Amino acid sequence: MPSPLADPVKLPCGLVLPNRLSKAAMAELMSKSNQPNDTLLDAYEKWSQGGWGSILTGNVQVDVNHMGSPFDPALHTEYTGTDTTLLSTWKKYASACQKHGTPAIVQICHPGRQSFRVAGKRGMFAPTIAPSAVPINIGDGLMEKVIACVTWSNPREMTRGDIERVIRQFVDTARLMADAGFSGVELHGAHGYLLDQFLNSKTNHRTDEYGGTPEKRARFVLDILTEIRKAVPPTFAIGIKLNSADHSSSTFEETMTQIALLVSAGLDFLEISGGTYEDPQMMGYPNTSPQAQGTAKSARTAAREAFFLEFAHTVRERHPQLVLMLTGGFRTRAGAEAAINDGACDLVGIGRPAAVDPKFPLLLLDEEVPDEKAVLLLEKAPVPWYAKWLPRNLIGAGAESTYYAGQIQRLAKGLATYAPAL
């Protein structure tokens, strides 16, 4: 019997994804000039041959002055639609991603207070921007405080002018991606980046129209979504990635309220992930400090591959028509099919296995391959010897991201890729 993973999925905008397997966004760390380059294109051309139902790119930053990584592609200036050289560069990227017919969706992002000192053109000692001036806290120990001080500047609260400028940057970036020929954009509202900072009461202490209630904290994201929809074709997909793991039981209903507002605004899909730099659950390294908050996973979630399954089930119950993507932890056909058959999601996001095997979907969708062989199990990435002296959650997550970025770079060069050694 054909796998449910092979079913096509039609988004509300009309875009049809040929199957349910999505190459999830990962850090590539290859854009030294902060523009798409041949190496980056070579990696995505490999994925375009892999049988994916959709390809989500790594972060494209909407402001070159505030970067999540020093080596992400970014928008360098205002996009008016008249810069033919800029458009030509991004058209090559879109063409490489979609060379074999797979729709490609660009993850667009602003890191807010999580922009590293060495990332972006604002200068090492310039402040980051955030909804409120809440510094990053990776722990109360002396080592943790020193690391945070060296790694990140303290943020300043965004003015109304800052908010309007960042909204324009998101819209400009989305319009550039549409003009370049991509199939859609995904707003990165998870992992502690700027959109997540506005949504979350831990980092948004504002008392104006952008803070104070769940609805007001969602306004920044809703304004971005609404303005993008005005600027792109109606067939251009707009999705969002949201966190599940950084909301405690006391704020759960606030998160559900915000999701309902996004759905009403015309969202094409919602990707569920989780974690932040302070608590990197998306990498399988939860924060073990007393400050880390969250609820224990149920037995059902613990027994499955997906990291954020329980949250996805709740969203599905409240929004049965919403196209859901669940990302984090899928390693086998059986696990992916279980999430689909159980109604937890419509799309399965696969990240780290895609860096090791760009054609992983061809294995999962091959009916002649038995379930026990339709797998790609991964150990934790190796960490440096000095890691025992540093916060385990942060160093472990950094090691994971760096290791798989290295595999993507090998993939781009046509070299063999490797899963972490057992």
Side-chain angles (χ1 to χ4, degrees), residues 174-192:
R175 189 169 62 247
L176 173 59
M177 299 306 116
D179 290 350
F182 283 101
S183 298
V185 293
E186 179 183 54
L187 308 178
H188 200 332
H191 301 174

Side-chain angles (χ1 to χ4, degrees), residues 23-97:
K23 177 262 165 194
M26 291 177 284
E28 308 106 350
L29 306 181
M30 289 193 288
S31 301
K32 293 183 179 180
S33 66
N34 305 127
Q35 294 278 14
N37 54 34
D38 289 344
T39 306
L40 185 68
L41 270 59
D42 288 343
Y44 277 88
E45 187 171 340
K46 298 288 196 309
W47 279 313
S48 77
Q49 303 171 33
W52 298 94
S54 56
I55 291 174
L56 272 70
T57 73
N59 277 336
V60 169
Q61 306 293 342
V62 303
D63 185 351
V64 75
N65 295 307
H66 297 268
M67 305 278 289
S69 149
F71 307 121
D72 289 337
L75 190 68
H76 288 238
T77 186
E78 182 180 2
Y79 174 66
T80 62
T82 60
D83 189 335
T84 56
T85 301
L86 176 66
L87 184 57
S88 175
T89 298
W90 287 91
K91 280 185 174 181
K92 292 177 182 177
Y93 189 12
S95 178
C97 292

Side-chain angles (χ1 to χ4, degrees), residues 315-400:
V315 175
R316 166 65 76 218
E317 290 168 2
R318 301 197 186 193
H319 302 283
Q321 302 305 314
L322 175 61
V323 176
L324 283 179
M325 178 188 299
L326 185 57
T327 299
F330 289 107
R331 303 289 181 263
T332 71
R333 176 199 291 156
E337 287 183 346
I340 297 295
N341 290 331
D342 205 26
C345 60
D346 303 287
L347 304 170
V348 173
I350 296 175
R352 282 170 277 180
V356 175
D357 181 1
K359 297 182 177 180
F360 190 40
L362 300 181
L363 175 68
L364 298 183
L365 297 173
D366 188 342
E367 297 178 32
E368 296 184 1
V369 177
D371 283 354
E372 60 269 21
K373 293 186 177 180
V375 302
L376 204 170
L377 301 180
L378 301 174
E379 297 293 320
K380 292 292 185 186
V383 297
W385 62 268
Y386 53 80
K388 64 181 180 180
W389 304 107
L390 299 171
R392 180 178 178 273
N393 60 297
L394 192 63
I395 296 302
E400 292 282 322

